[in-house]
Amino acid sequence: MVENGLIRLDGDGTSLLIDARGPGVPIVRHWGAPLPAGIDLAGLSDSQCRPVPNNALDEDVPPSLLPETGFGAFGQPGLSGSRADGTGWATAFCLIATDRTENGVTFRLEEPAARLALSLSLEIDAATGVLASRASVSNSGDDSYRLDWCAAAVLPLPAICGEGLAFDGQWNREFHERRLALGPVSYTH
């Protein structure tokens, strides 16, 4: 469902509400228990806005699917890199298109100053509720861009999550299961 820039994806036992009403990278406003039919998506999304704390920017910078230094996000950026002359390191992508599929959505974004294009895709499996994410970055400039890091998506976890499951390893022990205790920190994998 798409309703005035709000995208709702539903899977078995879960719902995802993405706010794509702003000019930048969309924001996850809900990921958790299934949302009831007929719920006011705009009201729910707006209720998730946070107050502006003391000694902070004049406007709240909620964590988007790809946090960006250029929009004032603190902490680990979702994309890091630069051009050889040092430019393009603080991106501020603008949403140019939203393509909806039956169980997913793709956001196409551009960053004219850094001369980059970004595609972020989210798809939820209706039968299992598993969420898959993909990201791709394209260089539209004439010179090279050194991409150091790009997150497939930055997703908020509900407060009830106490453990994460990651699969990592090296060539002789790939896809090694690792359980992680989660706390009030960010986890980058």
Side-chain angles (χ1 to χ4, degrees):
M1 165 188 285
V2 177
E3 182 180 302
N4 297 325
L6 297 168
I7 295 100
R8 176 180 174 168
L9 303 176
D10 294 297
D12 182 44
T14 189
S15 289
L16 180 70
L17 177 60
I18 306 163
D19 188 341
R21 295 179 292 180
V25 178
I27 301 162
V28 173
R29 293 295 190 185
H30 172 83
W31 183 28
L35 297 173
I39 190 169
D40 176 12
L41 295 179
L44 176 61
S45 181
D46 293 343
S47 74
Q48 303 302 309
C49 294
R50 306 175 308 181
V52 177
N54 293 331
N55 300 319
L57 299 174
D58 290 340
E59 292 184 24
D60 179 43
V61 181
S64 68
L65 288 169
L66 193 95
E68 299 176 274
T69 308
F71 272 117
F74 296 103
Q76 171 77 33
L79 183 143
S80 63
S82 65
R83 300 220 173 257
D85 64 359
T87 61
W89 64 272
T91 59
F93 283 93
C94 295
L95 182 63
I96 59 167
T98 301
D99 302 319
R100 184 72 162 89
T101 62
E102 184 179 348
N103 294 327
V105 62
T106 297
F107 301 105
R108 290 185 284 132
L109 303 106
E110 288 183 348
E111 213 299 7
R115 300 180 314 278
L116 297 173
L118 173 68
S119 174
L120 291 172
S121 299
L122 296 169
E123 187 171 346
I124 195 163
D125 184 277
T128 63
V130 172
L131 180 66
S133 64
R134 289 182 306 280
S136 66
V137 180
S138 302
N139 180 5
S140 57
D142 295 332
D143 54 341
S144 64
Y145 185 86
R146 187 190 75 237
L147 181 63
D148 297 322
W149 166 260
C150 182
V154 175
L155 300 165
L157 295 176
I160 62 168
C161 291
E163 183 179 72
L165 175 62
F167 296 95
D168 62 5
Q170 296 180 1
W171 71 271
N172 62 345
R173 193 175 165 148
E174 290 185 44
F175 303 108
H176 174 73
E177 183 178 301
R178 188 165 52 116
R179 296 195 176 271
L180 308 159
L182 300 176
V185 297
S186 63
Y187 174 70
T188 306
H189 188 74

